[in-house]
Amino acid sequence: MANYVDRFNAADRILHWIVAISFFLLMLSGLGLFAHTFFGYFDLFGGPQQGIMVHKWAGVVFFVSSVLLFLRHVGETCRFDADDRQWIAKLGGYLSRKHQDIPQGKFNAGQKLYSIFAILAALVLGVTGLVIWDPTAYSRELTQFSLMLHGLFFTLSMVGMVVHVYLATIGNPGTLDGMLYGQVRKRWAKKHASKWYRKVAKD
Amino acid sequence: MKRKSFLIDTTLCTACRSCQVACKQWNKLDAEATVNRGSYENPPDLTPQLYNQIQFIEQDKGDDLQWLFINRRCMHCADAGCVKVCPSAGALYHTKEGMVAFNQDKCIECHYCVNGCPFDVPRYDARQKVTKCHACSDRVQNGLAPACVKACPTQALKFGDRDQLIAEARAAGKKLYGENDLGGLGVLYVLDDQPGTYRLPKNPAIPASIFFWKDVVKPLGILGFWGAVGVAALHYVTVGPQKFDESDDPQHKGGE
Ligand code: HEM
Ligand code: SF4
Ligand code: SF4
Ligand code: SF4
């Protein structure tokens, strides 16, 4: 396996897929509450009451696993340097076919921003989710505001998820390998995360 | 079908509470044990077993106690916040008379509706299903007056064609609450004081968060999702994926 370099260990990968699976369960079970058009999605769970039940408990799993996932990578994702600023200025080179050499650490600036957005969204969805767990438990104003914020961060999360999935799969071939079995091609690492590659290649 | 309405003239109400009792009887709602709070007002709020309630506004006027009474219930809004937030189409609905009724078979027990209601009206019964005044939709469809109206001895409660009730009140020189709010309320009040004194909002409106949630976030969310999918697809077929040259792996010398 000389062409490969280790990127995520088993714990990283399992945690990520728990977050992802619980996210899609939340999406499918939440859509029926979001708009009449999607009410039929409750059939996937055997009915609206069952769907709401799945949503509540998947929410707990999503919240806890999102926090753990964030904590695992926080050392890499919350520090920005001059290269990151260059990445943001050039939008990661995604607007042109020509290869642009922007040295990046384990995660590029876009991924760092996404991980910060994801934990923020999980916190907001989690806290507002607890408030609306029983929509008659707290004051009307707090419940109304929480319903609105929950819907807002749900929609923002959907947009973030689409971009994330695209860039992690067909948008950047070879990226998914790391999350599936932990290793990426060295060539991939040199292209996408040259600073990180130099560091791990030395060890 | 002409829109119907209640007209409640608070100046005629004697707080006999025939309306509370008649509603319980017609809708088969149980009596509830309550406590003496030092007021004749009883019970103190709408409950799952109480669709209309006489509220006592007790004003201390020196040696005198002044009493104001108001029959509180669902206002049967044309632009109804409860209907707006209900995820299950048909659980709350406008009847052909323009009143807001409910269908418990369609209620999914989410308890959102009370948060959409500007008047804090819907309640949830032992089965967790929605309950509230439904304007005796079963009686009205059969040409009968609502039970509370029928029972009212002073005609403080009236029910009829909305236009006609408004015209009559105007002719009698009475000022109405609820004529134009929320597309016109299905309960019009003649009040003896400011709306605030009766704990009614001066300008009732759908709560701002609820409006933003349902009229801004929801449509923009659906647009945003498909927009993101569209942008990703467009990126793939124009700029294309960020490929790396696999044949050129550092240690890749003539196959593995
Ligand atoms: C972080 C953990 C989360 C918790 C604890 C949580 C909890 C809840 C709860 C309790 C409800 C109300 C269910 C009910 O009416 O009984 C709800 C509604 C909803 N949730 Fe979540 N949720 C979470 C995350 C998410 C995520 C990630 C999504 C998106 C995929 C989502 C989408 C929705 C939607 C669409 C609704 C319907 C209300 C609305 O439109 O805002 N939730 N959530
Ligand atoms: S509790 Fe029932 S009536 Fe009220 S919003 Fe939910 S589904 Fe609709
Ligand atoms: S008063 Fe409340 S429950 Fe009645 S129709 Fe208006 S919003 Fe719905
Ligand atoms: S109209 Fe019918 S349901 Fe409504 S308060 Fe009167 S008796 Fe009760």
Side-chain angles (χ1 to χ4, degrees), chain B residues 59-66:
Chain B
Q59 293 173 318
D60 213 345
K61 296 253 156 104
D63 282 347
D64 253 3
L65 179 71
Q66 190 183 329

Side-chain angles (χ1 to χ4, degrees), chain A residues 159-172:
Chain A
V159 173
M161 179 275 287
V162 169
V163 176
H164 171 73
V165 170
Y166 170 64
L167 293 178
T169 57
I170 59 172
N172 289 295

Side-chain angles (χ1 to χ4, degrees), chain B residues 144-159:
Chain B
L144 297 170
C148 53
V149 171
K150 176 137 182 128
C152 179
T154 66
Q155 294 199 33
L157 299 184
K158 282 191 197 148
F159 184 80

Side-chain angles (χ1 to χ4, degrees), chain B:
Chain B
M1 184 98 206
K2 271 205 178 141
R3 189 174 170 199
K4 302 252 191 239
S5 261
F6 291 92
L7 188 130
I8 302 182
D9 190 338
T10 61
T11 63
L12 300 177
C13 178
T14 61
C16 71
R17 285 176 290 205
S18 305
C19 47
Q20 286 185 199
V21 175
C23 178
K24 275 187 185 282
Q25 192 181 32
W26 178 256
N27 290 294
K28 302 197 175 66
L29 301 168
D30 293 332
E32 292 172 284
T34 54
V35 291
N36 184 348
R37 298 172 301 121
S39 164
Y40 287 114
E41 181 186 65
N42 190 36
D45 197 2
L46 298 174
T47 76
Q49 305 290 336
L50 190 72
Y51 295 173
N52 73 355
Q53 178 231 1
I54 298 298
Q55 252 182 25
F56 283 49
I57 319 295
E58 294 169 344
Q59 293 173 318
D60 213 345
K61 296 253 156 104
D63 282 347
D64 253 3
L65 179 71
Q66 190 183 329
W67 260 339
L68 297 175
F69 309 122
I70 183 169
N71 176 292
R72 208 189 142 213
R73 62 173 69 223
C74 169
M75 306 290 274
H76 300 283
C77 320
D79 185 8
C82 59
V83 174
K84 192 189 227 9
V85 297
C86 178
S88 181
L92 289 158
Y93 63 96
H94 285 95
T95 65
K96 56 187 192 310
E97 295 86 16
M99 310 313 271
V100 179
F102 58 85
N103 176 354
Q104 288 199 332
D105 291 339
K106 292 210 170 150
C107 173
I108 63 169
E109 303 150 33
C110 72
H111 299 189
Y112 282 1
C113 41
V114 68
N115 294 291
C117 171
F119 300 98
D120 188 17
V121 167
R123 296 290 182 265
Y124 306 102
D125 67 12
R127 292 164 59 227
Q128 301 303 318
K129 303 276 186 188
V130 67
T131 66
K132 67 176 192 67
C133 166
H134 49 90
C136 283
S137 50
D138 42 358
R139 293 174 61 91
V140 169
Q141 265 158 37
N142 290 293
L144 297 170
C148 53
V149 171
K150 176 137 182 128
C152 179
T154 66
Q155 294 199 33
L157 299 184
K158 282 191 197 148
F159 184 80
D161 287 341
R162 194 165 188 275
D163 293 340
Q164 200 184 328
L165 288 173
I166 291 174
E168 279 170 19
R170 281 229 187 96
K174 289 179 170 163
K175 213 170 140 251
L176 290 179
Y177 176 90
E179 199 179 325
N180 301 311
D181 303 292
L182 293 160
L185 300 179
V187 174
L188 301 158
Y189 281 120
V190 176
L191 302 175
D192 220 5
D193 204 331
Q194 294 306 309
T197 309
Y198 291 90
R199 299 184 204 113
L200 287 169
K202 190 157 170 264
N203 299 303
I206 306 258
S209 297
I210 296 296
F211 170 82
F212 191 71
W213 175 34
K214 285 291 156 188
D215 290 325
V216 180
V217 169
K218 186 172 95 175
L220 284 186
I222 296 173
L223 213 68
F225 175 79
W226 289 111
V229 171
V231 166
L234 199 66
H235 182 267
Y236 193 74
V237 297
T238 55
V239 179
Q242 300 276 318
K243 287 208 169 97
F244 59 95
D245 194 350
E246 299 202 39
S247 64
D248 196 24
D249 264 325
Q251 270 112 38
H252 190 110
K253 299 262 166 19
E256 286 155 75

Side-chain angles (χ1 to χ4, degrees), chain A residues 108-126:
Chain A
N108 67 41
Q111 291 175 295
K112 292 181 186 181
L113 290 173
Y114 180 70
S115 88
I116 293 167
F117 163 75
I119 189 64
L120 207 92
L123 290 176
V124 172
L125 286 165

